[in-house]
Amino acid sequence: MILITVGTEKFPFNRLMTWIDRLIEQQFINPNEEEIIVQYGSCTIQPQGVKAYQVLPSQDFQALVAEARLIIAHCGEGSIDLLAKAGKPYILVPRSGQFGEHVDDHQVELARSLARQQVPIAYTPGDLVRFLQAPVFVEIPATPTQYYAQASQLLHQDLVTLTTPKTRSSRALLPGLASLANIGNWVARVPAVFSQITA
Amino acid sequence: MSQVQLIEMPVHFTLAEITDIHGALKELLRETVTLKRIVFDFAQTNFIDSSGVVYLRQFCQAAQRAGIELLGWSLSPQIKSLLQASHLDQWLEIDLDTEGVIRLQTEDNKDLLHPSVRSVAKRAIDIVGALVGLTVTAVLFVPVAIAIKLESPGPVLFSQLRCGHQGRTFRIWKFRSMVANAPELKHLVENQIKGAFFKNENDPRITKIGRLLRKTSLDEFPQFWNVLTGDMSLVGTRPPTLDEVAQYEPHQGKRLDVKPGLTGEWQVNGRSQVLDFEQVVALDLRYQERWSLWHDLKLIWKTVTVLLSKRSGAC
């Protein structure tokens, strides 16, 4: 059984649905030979010949993950946390802000940092085909939730050190404003902090 | 062997990559029993040179003979327009639904084009030259048209599909110098040139006025229109017919890395003495190596003097 999941975002991920449909059309996967289960969330189209569920209760979902031969999932935190523990081949397809699949490109950025740890990522339908021909399981040392937590801790430390007045400067008089002014810097540092943790 | 095979195309598809991929593709064409379709994954491809287009064209035709369908996935806008302009999409079906992909390689590939194609100055010279040439053509048009019409029935102008820069097809215009049904009679005429190139010194399809037009090169004057529209340049490579390109070796496709020209290296180097296609290719590649604006201007000047002298090489 192959499980395809796009999570519960309110944005559709029709691009992935179309790719799965093409994979079936070209018989790279065949629902007549192997069951294909799709959790389609907010998608407005579904691939041909699959078993489709809009959302799956957490228990059912975990049971399907346990049963699946391999999993194709969107690059969302929750899915990755679950798949990292599942111990079977999975490939992640990042939602993209440019195609209106999420608010921004954070899934693409996450995908890039995971790709550096050899996690299979599909940016194109061809990537999915190549993964299906040779599925691999890659263990990730830290799942997104863990390193988001670490990142926010680091950021918090940054905040503390940045807003601690070293001398009586004009900035120290208005610590609140100063921290607001620095927010841009902290946000810019997020990717750097991530790579520190995930390295 | 499954019914559908996916082939991942390289970032650049040029002569070097053709050599890498050709073995695998040749094997696939032998699998006619099980293989139904080949999917070309163009997701990473951002540049195909003229050799690549020539090679793909031949592969498409071979696949068609073998009864294998071809499909193109995840084409970038540039690659899609190239495949459409070179009419490759009549064999290789482009799947528009697989286009939306996140591209990791977003390099600018303009510097992979031959400098003559990128040159704004060359284009400016072309436009000025085309306007001058079209003025001359307009003056000549009425007498030439009457002469053509008087001798044989049919249109004044002759047009044909030719291969241009990077294998893009375009319609070339000339004054008609042969009988109207010349293309249908071509198989009756012997080719006197070795290779992918057709020439016959005493082609019986040429009309009397046609012989005069060819001798003076006046038959070529409507091509100033092709220069103006940008399909051709004043100086470049000889624009081959689609039949000729179908017989090219990939390395011979390199001559299409520049725009086809009204004149060029081999037109001013004794047009009738050249009797071997490899020599034509060698001259074309020499032009690409030597190209500069100054070199172009010298060739234009040489062409004018050749035209005006009696020793015009055209027959």
Side-chain angles (χ1 to χ4, degrees), chain A residues 19-35:
Chain A
W19 292 0
I20 300 298
D21 192 67
R22 283 297 184 279
L23 260 48
I24 293 167
E25 190 180 84
Q26 302 301 336
Q27 301 190 350
F28 291 120
I29 46 178
N30 188 339
N32 304 325
E33 287 170 12
E34 182 174 29
E35 192 178 31

Side-chain angles (χ1 to χ4, degrees), chain A residues 15 18-19 22-23 25-28 94 96 99 108 112 123-127 129-130, chain B residues 3-6 8 37 39 41 43-44 71 73-74 95 97-98 100-104:
Chain A
R15 215 158 42 104
T18 308
W19 292 0
R22 283 297 184 279
L23 260 48
E25 190 180 84
Q26 302 301 336
Q27 301 190 350
F28 291 120
S96 145
F99 298 117
V108 180
R112 278 172 206 241
Y123 296 104
T124 72
D127 291 342
V129 174
R130 285 182 286 275
Chain B
Q3 293 191 337
V4 185
Q5 284 291 312
L6 182 93
E8 188 176 11
R37 202 170 299 124
V39 177
D41 178 11
Q44 302 307 326
L71 199 60
W73 273 8
S74 311
D95 185 345
D97 286 337
T98 55
V101 297
I102 297 158
R103 288 178 209 285
L104 301 178

Side-chain angles (χ1 to χ4, degrees), chain A residues 94-108:
Chain A
R95 289 166 175 264
S96 145
Q98 129 197 24
F99 298 117
E101 293 152 356
H102 217 304
V103 286
D104 58 16
D105 265 347
H106 75 270
Q107 281 207 0
V108 180

Side-chain angles (χ1 to χ4, degrees), chain A residues 25-78:
Chain A
E25 190 180 84
Q26 302 301 336
Q27 301 190 350
F28 291 120
I29 46 178
N30 188 339
N32 304 325
E33 287 170 12
E34 182 174 29
E35 192 178 31
I36 299 168
I37 295 179
V38 176
Q39 181 270 309
Y40 62 91
S42 309
C43 297
T44 52
I45 50 174
Q46 290 149 42
Q48 54 186 317
V50 301
K51 216 179 204 178
Y53 301 94
Q54 184 165 22
V55 284
L56 286 159
S58 157
Q59 268 183 322
D60 298 4
F61 185 71
Q62 290 189 22
L64 287 174
V65 169
E67 196 192 324
R69 176 171 68 94
L70 55 90
I71 297 140
I72 299 169
H74 81 137
C75 200
E77 264 182 83

Side-chain angles (χ1 to χ4, degrees), chain A residues 159 178-188:
Chain A
L159 278 169
S179 54
L180 271 180
N182 277 317
I183 247 168
N185 297 348
W186 303 322
V187 172

Side-chain angles (χ1 to χ4, degrees), chain B residues 264-274 283 286 299 302:
Chain B
E265 198 85 27
W266 70 281
Q267 278 95 327
V268 293
N269 282 304
R271 310 161 30 154
S272 307
Q273 283 89 311
V274 180
L283 277 174
R286 195 178 73 171
L299 283 175
K302 241 177 161 174

Side-chain angles (χ1 to χ4, degrees), chain B residues 67-123:
Chain B
I68 294 167
E69 290 171 28
L70 302 177
L71 199 60
W73 273 8
S74 311
L75 282 80
S76 72
Q78 297 92 326
I79 298 294
K80 185 170 76 168
S81 70
L82 177 61
L83 292 200
Q84 285 168 337
S86 54
H87 288 207
L88 276 172
D89 59 345
Q90 62 182 329
W91 295 289
L92 196 149
E93 191 195 335
I94 298 172
D95 185 345
L96 302 176
D97 286 337
T98 55
E99 264 176 33
V101 297
I102 297 158
R103 288 178 209 285
L104 301 178
Q105 318 236 11
T106 46
E107 52 160 327
D108 186 26
N109 48 35
K110 285 245 187 316
D111 55 349
L112 295 166
L113 294 169
H114 190 268
S116 72
V117 184
R118 285 179 281 147
S119 166
V120 178
K122 180 174 165 86
R123 181 70 189 125

